[in-house]
Amino acid sequence: MNTNDLKDRIVDYLVRQSEQSGDKIIIDAVEMSKAVNCNTQEVRRILNYLSENGFVVSEELMHDTFKVIIKQELFEIKENGGFTRQYELLKMQYEQLQLEIEKLKNDFPEKFAEGTSTINNIIDIGKSMLSAVSFFVNINK
């Protein structure tokens, strides 16, 4: 399963609930799992992920019942296309960086060997971007 898609469905669910009840909502994980088509363990993991990353404040009240406070960051991630969109943008930037490096190699082969420190810096930036992409993919911390 695409975890970004699942995160986006959960974000949509939380935003819809907050539109009806305000920024402090009570979530039943069983009900939510049915609404977003996943299991309760996935709901728990993603609520934990969203909480750890500052999108919500989540507190388990009883088994499978959570008090969730929606933070502005959750609305912003939704307004900006969600986790799937953010991942796609970062992926495109990384691929563009790879293409630019290949173009530099082809356009200036003799200079490329001399400028390896600059190229290594560019590659390090690309690796950092790839790490950022993994932030949007990995929910199993």
Side-chain angles (χ1 to χ4, degrees), residues 1 6 9-10 13 27-49 58 60 62-66 139-140:
M1 171 178 285
L6 179 55
R9 291 195 318 261
I10 287 177
Y13 181 89
I27 297 295
D28 179 312
V30 174
E31 181 182 306
M32 181 188 232
S33 68
K34 290 176 185 174
V36 299
N37 193 28
C38 69
N39 63 51
T40 56
Q41 285 182 325
E42 290 170 311
V43 167
R44 287 173 171 277
R45 279 197 315 262
I46 292 177
L47 282 176
N48 185 47
Y49 168 86
S58 176
E60 188 165 7
M62 296 183 299
H63 186 66
D64 290 336
T65 304
F66 295 85
I139 63 165
N140 300 317

Side-chain angles (χ1 to χ4, degrees), residues 37-93:
N37 193 28
C38 69
N39 63 51
T40 56
Q41 285 182 325
E42 290 170 311
V43 167
R44 287 173 171 277
R45 279 197 315 262
I46 292 177
L47 282 176
N48 185 47
Y49 168 86
L50 293 172
S51 185
E52 286 178 358
N53 289 283
F55 296 104
V56 301
V57 176
S58 176
E59 174 187 348
E60 188 165 7
L61 301 174
M62 296 183 299
H63 186 66
D64 290 336
T65 304
F66 295 85
K67 177 172 108 178
V68 178
I69 300 171
I70 308 296
K71 296 175 76 177
Q72 180 61 33
E73 290 80 0
L74 189 77
F75 295 107
E76 289 173 6
I77 194 77
K78 181 172 175 27
E79 289 171 10
N80 290 318
F83 290 97
T84 302
R85 176 77 172 135
Q86 296 297 316
Y87 171 77
E88 290 301 321
L89 287 172
L90 287 169
K91 184 178 169 187
M92 284 182 355
Q93 289 173 339

Side-chain angles (χ1 to χ4, degrees), residues 62-130:
M62 296 183 299
H63 186 66
D64 290 336
T65 304
F66 295 85
K67 177 172 108 178
V68 178
I69 300 171
I70 308 296
K71 296 175 76 177
Q72 180 61 33
E73 290 80 0
L74 189 77
F75 295 107
E76 289 173 6
I77 194 77
K78 181 172 175 27
E79 289 171 10
N80 290 318
F83 290 97
T84 302
R85 176 77 172 135
Q86 296 297 316
Y87 171 77
E88 290 301 321
L89 287 172
L90 287 169
K91 184 178 169 187
M92 284 182 355
Q93 289 173 339
Y94 180 74
E95 289 169 355
Q96 184 178 6
L97 181 60
Q98 286 180 314
L99 290 172
E100 290 296 325
I101 290 170
E102 287 303 315
K103 185 175 184 280
L104 281 173
K105 278 187 200 176
N106 293 334
D107 290 349
F108 306 102
E110 66 285 344
K111 294 287 186 187
F112 190 79
E114 294 172 12
T116 54
S117 66
T118 302
I119 298 304
N120 285 335
N121 288 341
I122 293 171
I123 290 169
D124 287 342
I125 292 168
K127 287 178 183 177
S128 295
M129 289 174 62
L130 189 57

